[in-house]
Amino acid sequence: MLKLCLQVLVCVTIALRCVVIFGHLRKLWMADGLAGEFRRELRRRGLLMAPPVLPADPRALPRRADP
């Protein structure tokens, strides 16, 4: 039972360290400007759609016709 608990503890520790490393790498990637360049390249190739532009005023949205 102790061996199993230690194995689970080691696995959880490794997983948490991987999450922390991934977070650091993501922050570096975003700060380096590579994220924006990557998105622009995906849009240029047609692989990423631009997000829809919604009006700031909700009254400007078209109304549905109720039957």
Side-chain angles (χ1 to χ4, degrees), residues 24-43:
H24 285 301
L25 290 175
R26 185 174 177 272
K27 284 181 186 177
L28 287 173
W29 188 59
M30 297 293 262
D32 195 27
L34 291 175
E37 184 179 330
F38 185 69
R39 284 193 189 107
R40 281 191 296 276
E41 184 64 22
L42 287 178
R43 280 195 195 103

Side-chain angles (χ1 to χ4, degrees), residues 54-58:
L54 297 175
D57 187 8

